[in-house]
Amino acid sequence: MVMSAAGAGLGDSSVDGRVLLGTAGWQRGDWLSNYYPADLPSEWRLAYYANDCDCVLLRAEAWSGMDPDTLQESLEEAEGRPVYFLEAAPGWGTRERDRLSLFAAGRAVVLTDRPDPRQTQLPQWTAQGPGAWVDTDSAAGLLCWSLDRWDMRALSSRVGALPADTRALILDGPMASPSRVPELRTLLELMGRA
């Protein structure tokens, strides 16, 4: 079963045209010193991240390889925020499908090259090329932008060209940081997209 964007917890964003913003991962090494307070316990990082970001893309090795108890504790501390986009590894199996049960229905989406009919817990969005996925039922889309430099003029051009059905935008690459998401949100607000 492949659910629509509304079933994925994105229905509220589609009503007002708001684009959810986030980064690839929440635990990059450089963010430990540049973004998170030094005395913040590791299990509270996701909740802290959710203050600035609406969503997070988790690479397959990040969510499927994390200790289940540690992942569960982080998810509980975040209290149902943010929306999780979970990249599926090719040939993912029982362990990964079991790990999906940690994520709340309506707050997580599996990103895959090919939907797995055995996975019915969460909606599955299909890859449309590098850094792009779509919900085939609703046409809602997720884009992942790799940033080598932080250039507001270039970002403004990219935001202006966002497809109307974009529901989430993920920042990745060396210049991506949760600390930059509020600045990007302001740009999207000025351009009528957030």
Side-chain angles (χ1 to χ4, degrees), residues 63 67-69 71-72 75 98-104 121:
W63 68 270
D67 172 68
D69 294 333
L71 178 58
Q72 179 68 39
L75 295 173
D98 290 345
R99 187 75 45 91
L100 292 177
S101 66
L102 298 176
F103 294 90
Q121 300 170 35

Side-chain angles (χ1 to χ4, degrees), residues 49-84:
Y49 169 94
N51 290 315
D52 289 322
C53 301
D54 309 306
C55 61
V56 61
L57 183 145
L58 296 177
R59 302 288 181 203
E61 62 276 3
W63 68 270
S64 67
M66 188 181 281
D67 172 68
D69 294 333
T70 302
L71 178 58
Q72 179 68 39
E73 190 171 357
S74 292
L75 295 173
E76 287 173 1
E77 289 294 333
E79 298 177 351
R81 305 170 305 143
V83 173
Y84 303 95

Side-chain angles (χ1 to χ4, degrees), residues 156-178:
S156 178
S157 293
R158 290 179 89 173
V159 167
L162 276 175
D165 55 4
T166 301
R167 294 296 173 253
L169 178 58
I170 298 291
L171 301 179
D172 196 6
M175 292 308 296
S177 171

Side-chain angles (χ1 to χ4, degrees), residues 117-153:
R118 295 171 294 178
Q119 190 288 116
T120 59
Q121 300 170 35
L122 299 173
Q124 299 177 65
W125 289 16
T126 307
Q128 303 297 300
W133 294 267
V134 70
D135 176 2
T136 55
D137 289 343
S138 72
L142 163 70
L143 293 176
C144 182
W145 289 349
S146 182
L147 301 177
D148 294 328
R149 60 190 174 97
W150 189 256
D151 178 344
M152 289 303 287
R153 187 174 302 224

